[in-house]
Amino acid sequence: MAYTCIHNATVVAGYAQMPESAVLVEGASVVEVFSERRFRQKSFSRDDTVIDAEGSYLVPGLIDSHIHGFAGYGTEDLSTDSILHMSEKLAGYGVSAFCPTLYPMAEEDMVKGIRAIVAAMGLERGATVLGVHLEGPFISEHQLGVQRKEFVKPVDIELMQRLYEASEGKIVNMTVAPELKGMRELALYCNNKGIVLQAGHTDATYENMIEGMQAGIRHSTHVFNAMSRLHHRNPNAVGAILIQPDLSCEIIADGHHVHPDLVRLLVRDKPDTNIVLVTDALKPTAQKKGPFFANNEEVYFSDGIFLRASDHVIAGSSLTMLDGLRNLVSYGIPMEVAVKMASPNPARILHLKRMGEISPGFQADMTLLTREFQVLASMVKGEFVYGGERKQG
């Protein structure tokens, strides 16, 4: 089998920066990571592909575990073609894997959306579809954000069973409100199925959050947004995430959903292994022309975010993982920590085996970036899905 070798790279593996390094790939896996000096001692056949990175960053492929849509395609389309278009477009932005995220909808539509996502798995030409992220429907009507109240449900195990069956076991993560009646039973069901539960769109007290952790809700959705705020007499959901080191969290690092100084506070006071960069991107993100729609409602773009046209409420993010990585570094967060938040952390928290690292035996998902965070090439499972040909030699 032929090899692919990317050399003369600054490999950022989530724990350190390794300048003048090379990575050897065989098939879908990383075989070896070694120095440029050792690269010069190796020989390759004409069937091998050798790429000179010219000092560029080589990072693990970015993993977006919370994304609703991209480039005019969204999960609300209830279409396998839309998911496949997302996969292809995301590859050009350095994303190697993602969890298409469904809004709360009527049950019939949720089932259609779930089936559309599952049907796309294995057909991708870009980023890998990891499975389904359900953002609801078992969330708080008091912390809706832009979610539609008519589709929010009390905990219903039979409904959960129907959604799980529609997914063929492919629900990866699910956002829930820990304070809802019956949540412990739901948590037990989901934990037995291997579904990662996230506290979000929640009006939970601090005690509710601790009870949720005891039940197995150990991750949280877009910290600071759509959750009960920190109060000095009741830390609430935000306080629980800040206080409890084992409660991991998503962060939308667009500079609008969360102030940069709060991002810095989070990284300073929480183990950086338990923070996950996400986009929460909407369907019109990177869409060239309007009109723009998200969750089947018209939105407009203003100052870096999308607002709902009907009431000017923040509808969601226009962030890309690439811009999120760039923003984190601009906030003074070390590159290796930012990369950790974008690849190794989501892989570990979502129990993705052999993903999220540039290390021998791991899946060869990698992104080659310029120092200005422009994507030169994206590799998924050892195959270039974007770029790569320009630097082959």
Side-chain angles (χ1 to χ4, degrees):
M1 183 178 289
Y3 292 102
T4 297
C5 184
I6 302 173
H7 73 101
N8 193 18
T10 298
V11 175
V12 187
Y15 50 86
Q17 292 192 41
M18 296 179 285
E20 298 184 346
S21 294
V23 177
L24 188 67
V25 173
E26 183 181 23
S29 299
V30 174
V31 175
E32 191 178 358
V33 182
F34 49 95
S35 68
E36 186 67 11
R37 178 179 57 81
R38 284 195 58 202
F39 165 79
R40 290 192 290 268
Q41 298 169 356
K42 286 181 176 287
S43 60
F44 293 91
S45 75
R46 65 178 58 188
D47 293 328
D48 297 328
T49 300
V50 179
I51 298 176
D52 184 351
E54 299 179 356
S56 297
Y57 289 126
L58 185 63
V59 304
L62 309 179
I63 299 172
D64 195 349
S65 55
H66 187 158
I67 177 171
H68 295 277
F70 195 74
Y73 303 96
T75 57
E76 65 266 42
D77 299 338
L78 314 181
S79 160
T80 296
D81 283 344
S82 283
I83 304 302
L84 293 175
H85 279 298
M86 287 175 65
S87 163
E88 194 166 356
K89 297 292 185 181
L90 285 168
Y93 288 77
V95 176
S96 65
F98 68 111
C99 292
T101 303
L102 278 173
Y103 305 95
M105 305 174 184
E107 181 181 347
E108 180 182 358
D109 287 339
M110 288 197 79
V111 167
K112 286 180 181 177
I114 289 168
R115 288 176 174 162
I117 293 168
V118 172
M121 298 176 72
L123 302 178
E124 308 95 327
R125 296 178 60 184
T128 300
V129 178
L130 295 170
V132 183
H133 174 193
L134 295 180
E135 194 173 13
F138 310 127
I139 56 176
S140 171
E141 62 181 30
H142 303 295
Q143 294 286 351
L144 289 171
V146 78
Q147 312 291 13
R148 294 168 62 175
K149 185 176 181 179
E150 64 267 31
F151 299 132
V152 171
K153 303 285 187 183
V155 172
D156 183 336
I157 301 298
E158 291 182 356
L159 171 57
M160 185 68 220
Q161 176 68 23
R162 293 193 294 273
L163 297 178
Y164 183 77
E165 289 174 355
S167 80
E168 302 175 24
K170 299 297 194 300
I171 298 173
V172 174
N173 49 335
M174 184 176 185
T175 297
V176 298
E179 71 275 17
L180 296 185
K181 183 179 180 182
M183 186 53 64
R184 184 170 289 274
E185 184 183 3
L186 179 69
L188 180 63
Y189 176 92
C190 291
N191 284 318
N192 285 336
K193 300 294 186 184
I195 299 170
V196 174
L197 289 179
Q198 308 184 188
H201 290 277
T202 173
D203 210 30
T205 64
Y206 184 74
E207 289 72 21
N208 293 148
M209 292 292 289
I210 298 303
E211 290 170 358
M213 289 184 69
Q214 292 168 345
I217 305 172
R218 304 289 174 79
H219 192 34
S220 53
T221 298
H222 44 50
V223 63
F224 299 111
N225 295 112
M227 59 177 57
S228 47
R229 297 179 180 180
L230 178 68
H231 190 277
H232 57 285
R233 294 194 184 93
N234 187 340
N236 288 317
V238 167
I241 294 165
L242 293 174
I243 293 166
Q244 298 296 325
D246 293 333
L247 182 54
S248 56
C249 64
E250 299 176 350
I251 188 76
I252 305 171
D254 62 355
H256 301 283
H257 280 76
V258 181
H259 192 283
D261 280 340
L262 278 177
V263 178
R264 282 190 279 266
L265 173 70
L266 187 70
V267 174
R268 186 192 75 187
D269 289 352
K270 194 168 191 67
D272 60 29
T273 52
N274 278 346
I275 307 171
V276 173
L277 174 67
V278 298
T279 65
D280 197 9
L282 303 186
K283 178 178 176 176
T285 299
Q287 183 179 332
K288 302 303 182 185
K289 296 181 180 179
F292 301 131
F293 289 88
N295 199 12
N296 298 312
E297 297 182 303
E298 187 172 0
V299 298
Y300 64 95
F301 185 75
S302 177
D303 192 28
I305 54 176
F306 290 109
L307 304 174
R308 189 162 55 188
S310 61
D311 56 9
H312 314 295
V313 168
I314 293 177
S317 163
S318 65
L319 187 67
T320 66
M321 288 293 286
L322 196 61
D323 284 336
L325 195 65
R326 180 189 294 111
N327 289 343
L328 289 172
V329 173
S330 76
Y331 299 163
I333 294 165
M335 178 69 174
E336 57 270 25
V337 174
V339 167
K340 189 184 300 185
M341 294 162 62
S343 298
N345 290 357
R348 176 179 51 81
I349 289 166
L350 297 181
H351 311 305
L352 307 177
K353 295 181 179 179
R354 296 290 174 177
M355 292 180 68
E357 294 186 26
I358 300 177
S359 188
F362 275 68
Q363 187 167 296
D365 293 350
M366 298 185 289
T367 298
L368 190 63
L369 299 174
T370 69
R371 297 299 175 122
E372 293 74 37
F373 294 89
Q374 299 298 315
V375 177
L376 297 173
S378 293
M379 175 181 281
V380 175
K381 299 178 183 176
E383 298 287 338
F384 285 107
V385 294
Y386 177 84
E389 70 283 347
R390 289 169 296 179
K391 291 186 175 290
Q392 291 183 15

